[in-house]
Amino acid sequence: MPDLSLYLVASRGNLSDEAFLNVLESAVKGGVSIIQLREKTLNAKDFFSLGLKVKKLCQTYQIPLIINDRIDIALALDAHGVHLGQEDLPPNIARKVLGKDKIIGLSLKTTQQLKFIEEANYLGCGAIKTTPTKESSVLPLETLNQICESSPLPVVAIGGIDEAVVKELKGIKLSGVAVVRAIMEAKNPTLAANALKKAVRENLSLK
């Protein structure tokens, strides 16, 4: 399994490709260990084009690139893997398409959903706090803890996470935290990533 400790979920938004890649590179220099490219509004051609640039960056720094939702884009790019939501293809079907060596992440919110994680490699759970990035109900820390205790797979917490929130996660058996705004909107992504990485090391006994 790759290092999931500081997992960046990145969307280009209104940035130019160059500015976006600069943010990603700064974040990686600060300690981001894996990048998920999430582009909900780009067409396949533009998503692929941007993905090629992000893949080159990830190869330079030897960190995995995960594609959000789009199995076709993940295959076309030969990315390290894909992250699926509950509305996407089930991980056991995605595995048949992607092959045995790719990483498959799966979002979930309940312990009941743990019954359907066959062929996934890690789980993303949230939102921990309300977030403008994605409309999502908040997952109580008690439920997050239950999922982590019951899951045979590594779990990453996501949703509104910053340094202060990492401290609230102390004692929960997580493998890392996934962040969006805390790095993507930071004035200095390197420093922001560095501070988050330090908070993760100090507060989470990484599984």
Side-chain angles (χ1 to χ4, degrees), residues 55-121:
K55 182 185 174 183
K56 189 175 176 186
L57 174 73
C58 288
Q59 285 175 325
T60 300
Y61 288 95
Q62 296 186 307
I63 66 165
L65 170 63
I66 304 294
I67 300 298
N68 178 263
D69 289 351
R70 297 288 299 270
I71 293 174
D72 57 334
I73 302 289
L75 277 172
L77 288 168
D78 192 23
H80 283 85
V82 70
H83 187 90
L84 303 170
Q86 289 292 319
E87 305 80 30
D88 296 316
L89 282 178
N92 60 332
I93 303 299
R95 176 64 67 204
K96 290 178 182 174
V97 179
L98 290 166
K100 62 180 174 41
D101 297 326
K102 297 298 184 186
I103 300 163
I104 297 179
L106 179 67
S107 296
L108 54 67
K109 295 176 108 44
T110 70
T111 50
Q112 285 80 8
Q113 289 168 342
L114 287 169
K115 295 173 189 166
F116 308 104
I117 61 172
E118 186 188 350
E119 296 293 351
N121 298 104

Side-chain angles (χ1 to χ4, degrees), residues 140-186:
L141 292 187
E142 186 183 348
T143 305
L144 176 65
N145 189 46
Q146 286 168 355
I147 291 169
C148 290
E149 291 290 340
S150 306
S151 173
L153 301 178
V155 178
V156 176
I158 187 169
I161 291 177
D162 56 22
E163 279 179 80
V165 176
V166 172
K167 290 171 187 170
E168 293 179 34
L169 300 173
K170 193 164 187 157
I172 299 175
K173 291 177 184 170
L174 289 161
S175 291
V177 294
V179 298
V180 184
R181 289 175 305 132
I183 289 177
M184 294 306 297
E185 295 181 9

